[in-house]
Amino acid sequence: MTKKIFLFISLFFVSFASSSQIVTVINKETEEGLEDVTIFHQKSNNYVITDEKGLADISIFKDAEKLEIRTLGFKTQYKSFSEIRKNNFLIKLIPSILKMDEIVISASKWKQKKSELATKVAVISSKEIQLLNPQTAADLLTVSGKVFMQKSQQGGGSPMIRGFATNRLLYTIDGVRMNNAIFRAGNIQNVISLDPFSIEKTEVVFGPGSVIYGSDAIGAVMSFKTITPKFSFENKPLISGNAFARFSSANEEKTIHADINLGFQKWAFVTSISHNDYGDLTMGSNGPEEYLRNFYVEIINNQDVATTNENPKKQIPTGYTQLNLMQKVGFKSDDNWDFEYGFHFSETSSYDRYDRLIITRNGNPRDGEWRYGPQKWLMNNLEIDKNMAHSFFDNVSLRLTHQNFEESRISRGFNSNSRETRTEKVAAFSTNLDFSKVLSKRNKLFYGAEYVFNEVTSTGVNTDISTNISQKGPSRYPNATWSSLGFYVSNQTDFASKWTLQTGLRYNFYTLDAVFDTTFYPFPFTEAKIDDGAFSGSVGLVFRPEKTWLLSTNFSSAFRSPNVDDVGKVFDSEPGFVVVPNPNLKAEYAYNTDVSITKTIGDFVKVELTGFYTLLKNAMVRRNFTLNGLSEIMYDGEMSQVQAIQNAAAANVYGFQTSVEIDLGKGFLFSSDFNYQKGEEELDNGEKSPLRHATPWFGTTRFSYSNEKFNAQFYANYSGEVAFEDMPESEIAKPFLYAIDHNGNPYSPSWFILNIKTSYKFKENLLFSSGIENLTDLRYRPYSSGIVSPGRNFVISLKATI
């Protein structure tokens, strides 16, 4: 009887395993389960991803003739479903440092091989993030070695990519655009709203991305994928999580984070929370004296006083705090339907605009106060995915998203009683519907539609700090709505096994309605209306003459439609200048070409080289203007030159990106990234000036070692000089940001810093990390930045997992 019961139980579990068909993917060398392995069926474009234990349900691939099993750092395997079944649903992957064909999502919104793409894509994995331990999402982007970061204050980070920045770059979070109607041409800091601890993968698509993403995707698309709920493949709940604490000495950072996942077979939940406390940032000891912070403003007996800074290396005030929350819920009704709801919330404390607080006027600080109020971001996102064989699609994804943004600016002149507060709120709604269809063995079609609606509310309050009486003041923007409706189609055709042709086309219709308040400024109009459209397209070709070579070229266009910041801003952008609204703007266009070559030598060397050229036409730029016939008006107590954003210029940028990876064996790896770009833009008088966002050459070189328990990386970050004669006109007008050369002119010096990071896994669930950044304690300020970078910085952290 006992034997019969045992036999029945065994048969039951065998039948359960065969019906659910759970595969386990492990590292062949360590026999550890591998998380985030993609099992991909190219014919249907379906895929599954392994969980923390290396488990995945491959029921939907039953009888498939060819499945691709791939993840970063391991050799790709190709197996049929029957082969996997014969191996008892166990797959062993062999480690491999060099990859040419990892899976990316950002280029088309669907999983594709990187080796099939004509566009250049950089991937930042969770493993890299864990070792290098960036403080913010802005710092995370620099991990790739291909993104230059500008900061005006510690609570900031404005990427510069291929000569473009701010509203000419697009941010997406879980496939949803973060750019809103008040993204400005000046440096922005919205990226810090993202929590680096909740990001499992980051992809940067270089060059135009307007075919898939619409407006703003001129220089690049930065795609952030946050952690997803993990389901259980067993009859018991899957419980996993992380707890993390970190301290950094340069700003006395204190960070805590926790996330937990609870997974069942049909439902899964993941919760993440992070809190950061950053103190005033200390710069290095060796570098230009012009960067030192010799004074700061204090209020003593109701008067502003320029107080001598006892420690000129401490940048006072730069500290702030931040809170990030995320909750996701996943539901699988069956093998073909996936539902995921995500809630994101981020809020900072107020933080000071450091670059404004170092400006002087007549020997005194220009400002008594200049800070941003709390930056708040909230997102509700529902994603529904369906896999099925249909006449018009194999996969369809629907995203319904609501976002709220809030930011404010608080400023007051030195020893002025008038404090000005300008508050902006944006309610953003979007709907994305994306389809993919395998038309034949060699042809795939991607198409979709997107609708975006933004409502902007802007208010101004002036407060007399001596009496604490407030009254209505001028707002930064008009109250306005902005909307965009776009349709796109993209096709991928494989010619034999060596050639891939990619084509794409998009049409976008956009509208803007703004109502101006003439109470404070005598605008000659009370409203602005824009109804216009824009086309964008792309053609790319990939050639794989053999497995060790990959060549590609891409021709593409992109556009940026005018938003509320372009049309309606009133803002003291620089001392002595005031920007006024211009309701007669049209979209600007970029035309780009790039060529890439990738070569692997054996299984230990990979070299990549990409050259690019981009032409920007009909560019929206700030130019001298008149208001009611006047070229100057009184603004903020100062006679100021009137300017407006106008379609009045052209610009071009060219350059190259190159990288090399060398697997030295026995866990050692050498890698290096180098970026060069040069650009110029047309000035008001028709002359040429260096393009402001074309950064000096920069790069990262790394020497790494890793084994099962220990990881270490010794690396250098560096950037070239921008001499005075190569400085853009707009930067020459801000000498307070720069060092002084031997002729007394502002310039941006080159810099080179050394860093070391290590991590050690004491137990299966305990990881200790440490590092020293800027070993030589260099005092340096990256080009165009308003704040000086940290000096020697000691970092320690502890991570526990369950």
Side-chain angles (χ1 to χ4, degrees):
M1 183 68 179
T2 304
K3 290 182 179 180
K4 289 182 178 180
I5 294 174
F6 177 77
L7 178 61
F8 174 78
I9 294 173
S10 300
L11 289 173
F12 173 79
F13 279 107
V14 168
S15 64
F16 175 78
S18 62
S19 62
S20 59
Q21 293 156 338
I22 306 303
V23 69
T24 303
V25 185
I26 65 173
N27 183 330
K28 185 176 181 179
E29 293 184 357
T30 65
E31 296 191 347
E32 293 181 327
L34 292 176
E35 183 181 2
D36 292 331
V37 177
T38 299
I39 303 172
F40 183 52
H41 186 217
Q42 192 170 19
K43 186 174 180 180
S44 67
N45 220 41
N46 289 333
Y47 65 90
V48 296
I49 300 175
T50 59
D51 66 7
E52 289 89 344
K53 298 179 180 179
L55 303 176
D57 187 346
I58 59 172
S59 304
I60 60 173
F61 302 135
K62 188 175 181 180
D63 299 326
E65 296 179 358
K66 185 179 180 181
L67 295 173
E68 300 176 15
I69 303 98
R70 63 177 71 244
T71 190
L72 190 64
F74 291 83
K75 293 181 180 179
T76 298
Q77 292 189 16
Y78 299 88
K79 293 181 179 294
S80 67
F81 185 88
S82 61
E83 286 179 300
I84 296 173
R85 183 167 48 199
K86 286 179 182 178
N87 291 328
N88 297 318
F89 292 95
L90 179 65
I91 299 173
K92 299 180 180 181
L93 294 186
I94 302 170
S96 174
I97 299 297
L98 309 180
K99 298 288 292 180
M100 290 179 67
D101 59 352
E102 61 190 294
I103 290 287
V104 296
I105 299 175
S106 51
S108 67
K109 294 189 178 180
W110 299 100
K111 281 186 177 280
Q112 289 179 281
K113 293 181 188 177
K114 191 176 176 182
S115 59
E116 294 177 343
L117 296 175
T119 52
K120 182 176 177 60
V121 181
V123 179
I124 306 171
S125 67
S126 57
K127 184 178 180 180
E128 292 175 279
I129 297 170
Q130 178 175 278
L131 176 62
L132 295 177
N133 226 344
Q135 285 194 350
T136 68
D139 298 329
L140 179 154
L141 284 167
T142 64
V143 169
S144 69
K146 300 176 178 68
V147 177
F148 191 94
M149 193 63 59
Q150 183 277 350
K151 291 186 179 183
S152 297
Q153 63 280 326
Q154 187 174 201
S158 188
M160 295 181 178
I161 303 175
R162 288 193 175 186
F164 298 102
T166 61
N167 55 18
R168 290 178 179 138
L169 302 175
L170 186 77
Y171 303 83
T172 71
I173 300 89
D174 294 337
V176 178
R177 65 181 290 131
M178 191 181 197
N179 295 42
N180 61 50
I182 62 171
F183 262 44
R184 57 190 181 273
N187 298 310
I188 58 176
Q189 61 272 356
N190 299 73
V191 71
I192 69 166
S193 292
L194 305 178
D195 181 8
F197 296 104
S198 69
I199 295 172
E200 64 181 16
K201 189 178 184 182
T202 301
E203 297 175 6
V204 181
V205 183
F206 294 92
S210 282
V211 168
I212 302 299
Y213 294 97
S215 180
D216 304 357
I218 288 179
V221 176
M222 291 162 285
S223 176
F224 300 89
K225 177 64 176 174
T226 60
I227 53 178
T228 56
K230 305 293 184 183
F231 294 87
S232 174
F233 299 113
E234 302 172 323
N235 285 326
K236 61 180 181 180
L238 171 67
I239 301 175
S240 60
N242 301 280
F244 180 91
R246 181 178 61 205
F247 173 81
S248 299
S249 64
N251 55 1
E252 297 184 347
E253 174 213 6
K254 295 172 282 292
T255 288
I256 56 172
H257 164 82
D259 63 75
I260 187 167
N261 184 93
L262 176 61
F264 303 94
Q265 290 182 337
K266 287 188 176 292
W267 290 89
F269 308 84
V270 63
T271 303
S272 173
I273 181 170
S274 298
H275 184 268
N276 312 91
D277 186 344
Y278 305 109
D280 292 328
L281 183 64
T282 301
M283 66 182 79
S285 302
N286 310 303
E289 292 191 1
E290 294 88 356
Y291 293 168
L292 293 172
R293 177 64 159 154
N294 294 310
F295 70 90
Y296 59 92
V297 175
E298 285 186 302
I299 300 178
I300 300 176
N301 296 326
N302 296 321
Q303 292 290 318
D304 289 329
V305 176
T307 301
T308 300
N309 188 2
E310 294 182 0
N311 180 7
K313 294 187 295 183
K314 179 169 284 191
Q315 300 173 85
I316 303 175
T318 51
Y320 74 103
T321 62
Q322 182 166 337
L323 174 68
N324 282 84
L325 303 172
M326 188 190 78
Q327 176 65 57
K328 283 190 175 183
V329 180
F331 173 67
K332 286 180 176 289
S333 61
D334 55 40
D335 291 335
N336 295 320
W337 284 96
D338 286 299
F339 300 81
E340 184 177 286
Y341 165 74
F343 169 80
H344 300 258
F345 177 76
S346 173
E347 181 176 7
T348 70
S349 64
S350 297
Y351 50 95
D352 293 270
R353 177 76 185 264
Y354 181 78
D355 63 337
R356 292 302 179 95
L357 297 177
I358 61 178
I359 303 174
T360 59
R361 178 190 292 164
N362 300 324
N364 287 316
R366 193 190 79 154
D367 295 290
E369 300 175 68
W370 213 120
R371 66 183 183 275
Y372 291 106
Q375 177 174 291
K376 302 177 184 179
W377 171 63
L378 178 149
M379 182 170 83
N380 294 284
N381 180 34
L382 175 64
E383 181 177 351
I384 304 172
D385 295 312
K386 170 69 171 175
N387 300 318
M388 65 177 292
H390 189 276
S391 301
F392 297 103
F393 61 86
D394 297 318
N395 313 90
V396 58
S397 177
L398 173 66
R399 292 182 182 88
L400 303 172
T401 308
H402 160 251
Q403 297 180 81
N404 273 337
F405 302 84
E406 181 177 337
E407 58 186 53
S408 57
R409 293 157 179 78
I410 301 126
S411 60
R412 182 178 58 81
F414 187 72
N415 273 328
S416 169
N417 288 331
S418 178
R419 175 188 291 141
E420 298 176 351
T421 302
R422 307 289 179 258
T423 303
E424 288 76 50
K425 297 180 180 180
V426 180
F429 304 87
S430 63
T431 301
N432 292 80
L433 189 59
D434 300 291
F435 301 88
S436 72
K437 175 65 179 176
V438 177
L439 300 177
S440 68
K441 185 177 180 180
R442 295 181 177 179
N443 194 271
K444 295 178 185 177
L445 184 69
F446 308 97
Y447 62 99
E450 177 189 57
Y451 176 71
V452 180
F453 178 82
N454 283 193
E455 183 176 24
V456 178
T457 304
S458 184
T459 58
V461 174
N462 292 343
T463 303
D464 187 324
I465 62 171
S466 64
T467 62
N468 208 31
I469 295 175
S470 298
Q471 58 184 5
K472 181 181 178 181
S475 62
R476 177 176 167 86
Y477 298 115
N479 290 334
T481 60
W482 180 89
S483 65
S484 168
L485 176 62
F487 303 92
Y488 77 90
V489 60
S490 177
N491 184 265
Q492 177 179 310
T493 303
D494 295 326
F495 299 96
S497 60
K498 295 184 178 182
W499 294 89
T500 299
L501 176 67
Q502 295 172 329
T503 56
L505 185 67
R506 182 187 184 104
Y507 178 74
N508 231 92
F509 178 73
Y510 56 88
T511 65
L512 186 150
D513 290 286
V515 178
F516 294 91
D517 184 352
T518 58
T519 303
F520 300 96
Y521 300 109
F523 300 134
F525 45 80
T526 58
E527 63 179 12
K529 289 183 178 293
I530 295 178
D531 297 281
D532 210 343
F535 276 104
S536 56
S538 65
V539 178
L541 189 64
V542 181
F543 177 48
R544 297 173 293 274
E546 54 180 89
K547 288 185 178 181
T548 63
W549 281 97
L550 181 64
L551 297 89
S552 65
T553 184
N554 186 52
F555 303 89
S556 54
S557 65
F559 71 95
R560 187 174 75 83
S561 58
N563 64 17
V564 177
D565 181 85
D566 299 312
V567 172
K569 176 172 62 179
V570 179
F571 182 57
D572 178 16
S573 54
E574 293 175 8
F577 294 87
V578 60
V579 176
V580 300
N582 178 12
N584 300 310
L585 285 173
K586 293 185 176 296
E588 61 183 16
Y589 286 87
Y591 304 92
N592 175 81
T593 181
D594 51 73
V595 178
S596 295
I597 301 173
T598 302
K599 170 66 176 173
T600 61
I601 303 171
D603 198 27
F604 60 94
V605 177
K606 182 173 77 171
V607 180
E608 291 185 86
L609 175 64
T610 299
F612 64 90
Y613 175 83
T614 306
L615 175 65
L616 184 67
K617 300 283 287 184
N618 213 30
M620 288 180 271
V621 293
R622 211 169 61 229
R623 290 287 185 261
N624 289 343
F625 200 62
T626 60
L627 182 64
N628 292 330
L630 299 175
S631 60
E632 291 185 323
I633 63 172
M634 187 65 66
Y635 180 81
D636 196 21
E638 182 176 349
M639 187 60 69
S640 300
Q641 169 69 52
V642 176
Q643 295 187 327
I645 305 296
Q646 303 170 58
N647 295 110
N652 66 83
V653 60
Y654 61 89
F656 65 88
Q657 299 168 279
T658 184
S659 65
V660 59
E661 293 179 66
I662 304 175
D663 185 357
L664 302 172
K666 296 184 179 180
F668 290 95
L669 174 71
F670 172 85
S671 64
S672 188
D673 287 277
F674 183 82
N675 307 268
Y676 175 86
Q677 54 198 288
K678 202 79 172 177
E680 61 180 15
E681 59 185 333
E682 188 179 358
L683 298 178
D684 198 12
N685 59 8
E687 294 181 357
K688 304 290 186 180
S689 170
L691 187 63
R692 177 192 174 191
H693 292 129
T695 67
W697 57 260
F698 69 96
T700 301
T701 299
R702 316 168 189 87
F703 183 71
S704 308
Y705 172 77
S706 63
N707 61 29
E708 185 178 346
K709 289 183 174 293
F710 180 71
N711 287 277
Q713 187 171 118
F714 180 67
Y715 63 103
N717 297 327
Y718 40 86
S719 176
E721 172 185 302
V722 182
F724 172 72
E725 54 269 23
D726 296 324
M727 292 273 283
E729 292 291 324
S730 60
E731 297 304 292
I732 291 175
K734 297 180 282 189
F736 50 87
L737 296 183
Y738 293 97
I740 303 300
D741 66 16
H742 61 279
N743 293 321
N745 295 316
Y747 83 112
S748 180
S750 61
W751 51 268
F752 179 97
I753 63 169
L754 296 171
N755 320 270
I756 186 168
K757 296 288 178 65
T758 64
S759 66
Y760 184 78
K761 185 181 289 188
F762 283 97
K763 297 181 179 179
E764 185 64 30
N765 59 349
L766 195 62
L767 182 74
F768 176 76
S769 300
S770 63
I772 307 174
E773 300 171 341
N774 193 358
L775 281 161
T776 60
D777 204 24
L778 184 71
R779 184 186 308 142
Y780 70 103
R781 175 183 267 149
Y783 165 74
S784 192
S785 289
I787 192 168
V788 183
S789 292
R792 187 181 295 117
N793 185 28
F794 296 91
V795 183
I796 57 171
S797 66
L798 187 65
K799 179 181 179 181
T801 61
I802 58 171

